[in-house]
Amino acid sequence: MIKHNIRIIDIVDEAKYTKTYYFEKPEDFTWEEGAHTHIAHVGFDAGDKPNKDLVRHMSIMTLPKENKVGITTRFSSIPSEFKDKLSNLAIGDEVVLFKVGSLMTLKRNGRPLILLSMGVGIAAMRPIILAFKEDGSNIPYVININVDSSGDFIYKDELDNLVDESYKNYWISDRQGFYKKLDQLLQIEKPVFYIVGSYEFVKSNIRMLISNNVNGEDISIDKKEWSLSEFLDNSKV
């Protein structure tokens, strides 16, 4: 397994308790839109076994062409050991990056895409949106819906500047409004859905989609450890 020690090159306050960390991009490191990677604190593998409390599976919110690796994360009042250490890092400090994969690349099959995210889940959607805006071939249009009860919508200004006839954002601050909008969008013919958020958010959305005759193969989620078949089975309960 190849590990890269990478320096922090910038830290941006996105919203209350929410920061984006930009790291230098290793020369031989690349990825696709919708990718995830592992970020670990230096020394996580110093013992007989890696300290998993110092490692997190994170969405990459940048594209390779931006020449930096970005992650966005939200901090709670009682942070985990990983986030507590991360909050104390500064520009010039290092973390360890390893493994990369993508479960949410653009599906160019002539069908519209609907992106459903909760809070910082929008981090996984940003590169998908940018990749579509760069090359929209075989994708008629993309609709992005983000629900965040804080009302501090991450990347809102940037993504709103991309709106045109082929791309639309909906920023919603409550679940009731979110599901009302999703119910309206279910009238669209044969869309493909991407879902990023908490376990309960993913589960409830899959249940709603399946109950409205959306096929499982038309739903993408970003967690390898969350089996889509598990959610499909649960949707029948």
Side-chain angles (χ1 to χ4, degrees):
M1 179 175 64
I2 299 174
K3 303 174 190 173
H4 303 275
N5 278 52
I6 53 175
R7 290 184 304 108
I8 298 173
I9 58 176
D10 198 11
I11 302 173
V12 176
D13 289 313
E14 299 285 1
K16 191 174 182 180
Y17 308 126
T18 306
K19 295 179 182 290
T20 292
Y21 290 80
Y22 291 106
F23 307 94
E24 60 189 357
K25 176 183 170 294
E27 203 169 301
D28 58 344
F29 185 75
T30 191
W31 62 95
E32 297 178 286
E33 71 275 1
H36 55 268
T37 189
H38 289 78
I39 300 290
H41 289 290
V42 174
F44 83 100
D45 54 354
D48 294 335
K49 294 182 179 180
N51 183 349
K52 294 183 179 180
D53 290 336
L54 298 181
V55 184
R56 282 294 181 275
H57 172 286
M58 307 287 289
S59 296
I60 303 178
M61 50 73 65
T62 49
L63 289 172
K65 65 177 292 183
E66 296 178 81
N67 202 36
K68 54 190 176 183
V69 178
I71 62 168
T72 299
T73 191
R74 184 162 284 168
F75 296 88
S76 67
S77 57
I78 307 176
S80 63
E81 184 177 4
F82 174 88
K83 289 196 176 182
D84 184 51
K85 286 181 174 293
L86 183 64
S87 68
N88 287 298
L89 295 182
I91 293 172
D93 289 337
E94 291 187 345
V95 298
V96 182
L97 176 148
F98 60 96
K99 292 184 181 178
V100 66
S102 185
L103 302 173
M104 299 180 67
T105 52
L106 285 168
K107 295 183 178 179
R108 301 181 181 276
N109 55 10
R111 296 164 63 185
L113 307 183
I114 298 179
L115 314 180
L116 309 176
S117 63
M118 181 184 74
V120 293
I122 191 72
M125 303 306 191
R126 178 185 180 271
I128 295 171
I129 294 163
L130 296 184
F132 163 72
K133 296 299 293 184
E134 183 178 336
D135 176 11
S137 58
N138 294 318
I139 303 172
Y141 57 90
V142 172
I143 296 174
N144 170 50
I145 314 175
N146 179 253
V147 58
D148 194 326
S149 60
S150 73
D152 291 327
F153 298 104
I154 303 164
Y155 321 140
K156 184 178 187 299
D157 290 345
E158 177 190 19
L159 298 182
D160 279 348
N161 283 333
L162 301 178
V163 169
D164 58 18
E165 66 281 355
S166 67
Y167 174 67
K168 176 70 175 176
N169 293 314
Y170 292 99
W171 308 99
I172 301 174
S173 58
D174 63 88
R175 292 288 185 95
Q176 183 178 359
F178 173 85
Y179 288 117
K180 181 178 179 180
K181 176 55 63 177
L182 179 55
D183 188 55
Q184 294 171 1
L185 295 176
L186 282 166
Q187 307 309 309
I188 293 172
E189 186 176 358
K190 294 185 177 179
V192 175
F193 292 87
Y194 292 65
I195 311 174
V196 180
S198 68
Y199 185 93
E200 288 302 319
F201 179 81
V202 173
K203 180 173 71 173
S204 62
N205 275 285
I206 289 178
R207 285 184 171 182
M208 183 172 182
L209 296 180
I210 296 300
S211 68
N212 282 274
N213 301 313
V214 176
N215 294 323
E217 58 266 27
D218 295 328
I219 302 171
S220 294
I221 58 177
D222 74 330
K223 292 287 194 298
K224 185 170 62 175
E225 62 269 30
W226 295 355
S227 164
L228 184 57
S229 61
E230 163 192 353
F231 290 110
L232 295 178
D233 289 342
N234 286 342
S235 71
K236 301 171 185 176
V237 176

